[in-house]
Structures are given as C-alpha cells and as structure tokens.
Amino acid sequence: MLTKEQLETIAEVDSPEWNRSRGTNIGEKQPSVFRVGSKILILKRLPFTSPRGHEIAYFPALAKTRELSASESQWLDDMSGEEEFPESLQSATIPDSGWQFPSIPENPRLDNVRTRTLVLNPTEQCNIRCTYCYYGGAYNETRTHRTLAPSDEALKLAINGFITNEQRLIDEQRAIYFFGGEPILGFKKMQTVIRLVEERKKQLGLDLPNLIYQVNTNALLINESIMSFLVKNDIYINVSIDGPNHDIYRLDRRGRGTHDRVRAKVDWMEQNWPEFFAKRVAIIGVLSSPLNAAAMYRYFASWETAHRALAWDFDLVLPGGDASYTEFESVSNEQQKIWDLFVDSHRFKHSEREHSLRYHFSFSHGFLHRSFHQALHHQGSTAPNQVETLLGVQLIPGSALVLLGADEKYYNSYEHQSEAFITGTAQDGIDYNVGVNQIREFSEGIESSSCKTCWASRMCTVALAEAPFTSSDVVEKTKEKASAKLARCRIERSTLTQALVAVETIKQRYGSDRIEEHVSEWNRQKKEGPSRNAFYKASES
C-alpha cells in the first residue's frame, strides 16, 4: 500500500485547481468540475459550436455529447455553488466522491491467467544509435544497450511456458514478437526460437494456426538468406523509417544518417518478394520534432513502394516527465493538421474512403486512431459514476504482454526494463502476483489524483508504465512520478478533445451515417474473431 504521505504528495501535484465551486484540470483553461452540495457535474466544453451557434459539451456520466442551451452555458459561467443544478443538467451529476474505479480483489484467482504476447530480446545490441531510443540512455527507469543474449535453455523454458495444450489458448490469437536492440543481430537466436516452437508444437500435437511471429527491425542487416527465412516462416516485419526526419534521429554508430540505406532495403524487399511484402511488411515511423505533417504526407504519397506495404503506423515517442508535454506541445499544431486531413476524408463514403491515400495516411497515426476509437466506442455504465476500466489497465500486467529480456528476466513492460517491472525469470516462470500488486498501487495513486473528477477518465488510456507508483519510493520519487503522470494526462486530455471534436465535425459536415460506418466496420471486425491479419488493417492507396 502507498503511504499517507505518498497519497498526499500525488494529490498535491495532480488535483484540479478550485475557484469557489468550480474545478479546472491543470493545463486546461475552462472548469470541468462543478460542485453543488453533495453532487458534482463533470463535463468538457468543446472548442466547437453547433449550427445554431451553441456550445457542444461532452458529458462522461451520460457517455454522450450534446448541445448546451444558452441558459446552460450561462449557468456554467456564473455558478457559485450556492444555487441548484438546472434540471436539464441534473441527470449528468454524480456524488461528489467522484468516479468509482474497479476494485482490486484481495485474493484474485491467478491460476488461469495466461500471456497473449511473448516479446523476446534475442539481443540487446544494436547496429545504430537512434537518439530517441528507449534504451539509448535518454530515458529514466530502463536499461541501456548491453552485450547480452538469452541462453537457448532460457528460450526453451519461455516457449514451453507460453505454448500449452489448453484449448482456449489454441483458439486465441497470440504472438511471439522479436524486439531489440536490433533483433537481426540475434538472428541465430531467432532461428532457435522458431525451432523450439516447432518442437513444442510437435510434442503437444498442436497446429496453432492463430500464432503469429513479428520482428521489429531497422532492416539494414537483412540479406537474401535472412529474408528467405523470414518469408518461409511467415514472420511479420515492422521496418522503422521516419520519413523527412529520419536522418535527424536514426543515426549509425559513426553519426551518419541511415535513411537512404533503409529505404533502399525496403524497395529491395518489395521488388524481390512482392506478395509477401503486401501481406506481411509494415512501415512504422516515429513522429518527432520538428514535425511537418505536409512534408510527411508528401514523402509517403510519393513513395510507391510504401503504398504496397501491409500497413503504416506512425506515433510519438515521448521522453517522459514534464518534458513529454513540452515535446507534445511542439508538434500539436502539426497533429491538428493530421486530424483535419482525417475529418476531410469523410466527404467520401466508407467504400471510397478505404481507397483514399489521405485517409490511409491520417488513420495510420497511433494517437489519432486510438483516441478516435475511444471517443467513438466507449460505453457508459449501469451506474453514472462507475468507470468500467482502471484507465488504460484492463488486464493483469503480464497477461496481455510479457517480455523475456536478454538477461533472462521477465518484464511486464517492453519500454521499461527495470527492477520495478520484473515479474519473474525464465527459470521460475511469470509471477502474476507482481502485476496484481502493481495494479493495486496504481489504483491507489489514481484514486488520489485528478482522475477522480476528470472528464476523460472513462476514455483514458494512461497505463501502469506511465504512473508506476510504489510504496518503496521515497516521497521525492513519488512526486516525480506524479508530475510525469500529470504530463501524460494533459496529453491524453488534449488528444481526446481533438477526437471528440472530430466526431462532431464529421457528423455536422457529412452526416451521422459517416460515423455509423466506423461503428459498423468496428463491429464487423469484432465478429470475425481471431485472424492472422487482425494485427494490421491496411487500406489501398
């Protein structure tokens, strides 16, 4: 359990700023919490108006967005806390204790918990030195590049623990993901893993059609022999290329840019294995400062090879702490241009939009498709004050993903390979109790923070790794983590605001049927069940 002093520290750093009976989240300009007696009203007034010129507001207790009347807007501006809530707003109020998050069972049953994705570090070494890399020394609370590799015995133990003959695991889509360092530097270990999986399948008499392999690579070391192995074993390949900013950050050990070499290697892959490239090769890129959305679009629009890849995936890698929000602010204007491009693409119906390069480009941005889907698909609850998930923590840490490091320790975060995230060893297996204890302290932390009255809590994806509170921390460390969480919260609220505005703009400009198309497509994908292509969804250009 977190100490009283730790909880007070979190509250001191991360609580709304109150002016009479109105509370404003740090970093926001307008109040979003209104208290009258023993009730509070939580809402988000969007920077968007209806055709009649009225404000639009999101009401989380009702899980919906609607127009505010002129009198409601006036009341929100003038309220002092002594008057009653207007009758039209009373259905959106909740008790002043705030949101009720899921409780953590005292003794949860863990004997049936299994891991869906096993991430393996075949090596921690890398042939290049990206300045934004998790392991390049610029991030706190994680390892740096080391000359380590797991033993074959450790890999065998991990594979045998991951692959069992339980029917539910056979039917479920699962993945083995090679991560680095640069995994191709550990290619022999990758070969060993494939062999061990085949031996385990033969031992248990299994086929495992829903098990997929993925590798994240800079592609520079891939040659014909290695590529033939990847093709033969049907391994998904994620190639990192950042477009216009590539050579600012992705440098080799001599400080030289790597862009031309990586792009040439991607072209070579497509030319020699075109069918495999279209089905199994994705291009992933980091959005970094100085971000130029138009230049990024022109880059990928003009690269014909990229159009034939399975998918694109672009996202931010932020440094953590207060610096995360500073970095986010530096690219926020360009991010808005990507939102604008996404909204504008809805002038076309779904069948046409799926073939639009502009739509494909904009929806390939992780920050956009995550927050858009949260805004579109989040549900209310039987109780107006109940939040169904613990923010971004929906499963026991280690059950959705666990990483076996080159040091033969299990971590329940691939970004943060540090003592705080160790959840077992190859020899002893995964201890899911570690994850339960982490969730318990995470829960205590958010219960003491602005999350209790935040308008975004029902859609929030802030996860354990972004607020890893622990009772063993000194108060100063708790304060540092609370500040880092606050920075992440500000980013989350900003992107969710953009998502809510996008939904309302699409409805207003192009009609509600455009939003219904997204809902129908989402439901269609859920009904399909496990699919080897479910990890990616690419549209034709």
Side-chain angles (χ1 to χ4, degrees), residues 240-247 259 284-286 295-296 299-300 303 314:
S240 300
I241 188 164
D242 290 355
N245 283 0
H246 187 101
D247 281 349
H259 171 270
I284 61 176
V286 171
M296 187 86 166
Y299 177 93
F300 284 98
W303 186 17
F314 312 125

Side-chain angles (χ1 to χ4, degrees), residues 83-293:
E83 59 276 85
E84 293 296 316
F85 285 112
E87 186 175 345
S88 60
L89 296 176
Q90 287 182 8
S91 63
T93 64
I94 63 174
D96 64 358
S97 55
W99 300 120
Q100 297 300 306
F101 294 98
S103 59
I104 312 301
E106 194 63 39
N107 296 296
R109 181 183 172 187
L110 300 175
D111 58 335
N112 64 344
V113 177
R114 299 293 182 269
T115 297
R116 180 172 180 262
T117 299
L118 175 63
V119 183
L120 299 172
N121 279 159
T123 180
E124 291 186 359
Q125 297 184 71
C126 191
N127 56 319
I128 65 175
R129 289 294 182 266
C130 304
T131 56
Y132 53 54
C133 178
Y134 292 121
Y135 315 121
Y139 292 76
N140 295 325
E141 310 294 334
T142 194
R143 67 167 173 82
T144 54
H145 295 298
R146 299 174 295 188
T147 56
L148 293 180
S151 66
D152 290 359
E153 180 61 25
L155 292 172
K156 182 176 182 179
L157 290 169
I159 296 300
N160 288 353
F162 182 67
I163 297 176
T164 70
N165 57 5
E166 296 171 80
Q167 188 61 46
R168 65 189 176 95
L169 298 182
I170 296 170
D171 296 337
E172 190 177 67
Q173 185 179 62
R174 305 173 83 208
I176 294 176
Y177 183 17
F178 298 104
F179 200 71
E182 168 51 49
I184 302 302
L185 276 171
F187 180 63
K188 289 184 179 179
K189 293 295 182 182
M190 290 176 60
Q191 292 176 303
T192 298
V193 168
I194 303 297
R195 174 178 58 79
L196 290 170
V197 169
E198 292 305 311
E199 290 175 358
R200 181 63 167 168
K201 286 163 61 176
K202 184 177 180 181
Q203 178 189 6
L204 298 176
L206 301 176
D207 183 27
L208 300 184
N210 294 319
L211 175 66
I212 71 171
Y213 298 104
Q214 296 183 79
V215 59
N216 205 74
T217 177
N218 58 49
L220 290 173
L221 300 176
I222 294 179
N223 56 30
E224 186 170 351
S225 174
I226 291 173
M227 191 65 187
S228 296
F229 176 85
L230 298 175
V231 172
K232 177 183 176 182
N233 289 283
D234 202 23
I235 298 175
Y236 284 82
I237 305 172
N238 299 335
V239 180
S240 300
I241 188 164
D242 290 355
N245 283 0
H246 187 101
D247 281 349
I248 299 175
Y249 298 94
R250 301 188 66 84
L251 309 175
D252 64 18
R253 293 186 179 189
R254 296 182 181 180
R256 301 174 302 180
T258 59
H259 171 270
D260 292 352
R261 286 173 280 170
V262 175
R263 179 158 166 165
K265 189 61 65 78
V266 174
D267 288 335
W268 170 79
M269 287 181 183
E270 194 279 330
Q271 290 163 8
N272 289 278
W273 294 272
E275 290 185 15
F276 180 84
F277 186 87
K279 293 179 180 179
R280 295 292 182 262
V281 179
I283 292 171
I284 61 176
V286 171
L287 302 176
S288 51
S289 182
L291 179 62
N292 184 320

Side-chain angles (χ1 to χ4, degrees), residues 71-90:
S71 61
E72 287 172 334
S73 292
Q74 193 64 54
W75 186 88
L76 293 170
D77 289 337
D78 297 341
M79 71 88 65
S80 65
E82 297 177 3
E83 59 276 85
E84 293 296 316
F85 285 112
E87 186 175 345
S88 60
L89 296 176
Q90 287 182 8

